[in-house]
Amino acid sequence: MSVSGSRLLITELQPAAGADAVVLLAGELDTVTSADLREAVTGLAARRTRPARLVLDLSGVTYCDNASLYTLLGICHALGMVGITVVITGTAAVVREALHRNRLAERLPMQVKPTAL
């Protein structure tokens, strides 16, 4: 799956059976493009064979507003309710700055080292 909004590219790497699902984000993550991300992960959660873990790689994010951080928090909680653990990795500097500015770094499941693909 690859979804391209006008400013955000969402690419899901096809995992091997039993492997983590990995979604790569590139571009601007904001109020408008967050809807595309919500739609993509909702589709992933609705699958018959859904992964036990979703890795969101934000290394390609060039802009991140406050609202999108709360979208990420909501995604983590919602997927957790259906048994999917979310890990956020590859946070670009703009994402890290926004996380600290909003005091959300401790509330989101961050992984410092990128996951091997």
Side-chain angles (χ1 to χ4, degrees), residues 19-32:
D20 296 342
V22 178
V23 173
L24 307 173
L25 302 180
E28 298 178 11
L29 186 57
D30 59 25
T31 304
V32 175

Side-chain angles (χ1 to χ4, degrees), residues 19-102:
D20 296 342
V22 178
V23 173
L24 307 173
L25 302 180
E28 298 178 11
L29 186 57
D30 59 25
T31 304
V32 175
T33 61
S34 289
D36 295 330
L37 178 58
R38 278 192 310 273
E39 185 177 317
V41 297
T42 300
L44 189 138
R47 293 181 188 160
R48 182 181 303 217
T49 56
R50 56 184 175 226
R53 191 167 105 132
L54 169 63
V55 177
L56 290 175
D57 185 330
L58 307 184
S59 58
V61 173
T62 58
Y63 174 81
C64 181
D65 70 3
N66 298 344
S68 62
L69 293 176
Y70 287 95
T71 297
L72 289 173
L73 188 61
I75 286 170
C76 292
H77 287 292
L79 292 183
M81 297 293 287
V82 296
I84 301 173
T85 301
V86 177
V87 175
I88 299 171
T89 188
T91 52
V94 293
V95 177
R96 288 191 305 274
E97 291 168 10
L99 285 167
H100 291 292
R101 184 176 58 245
N102 288 281

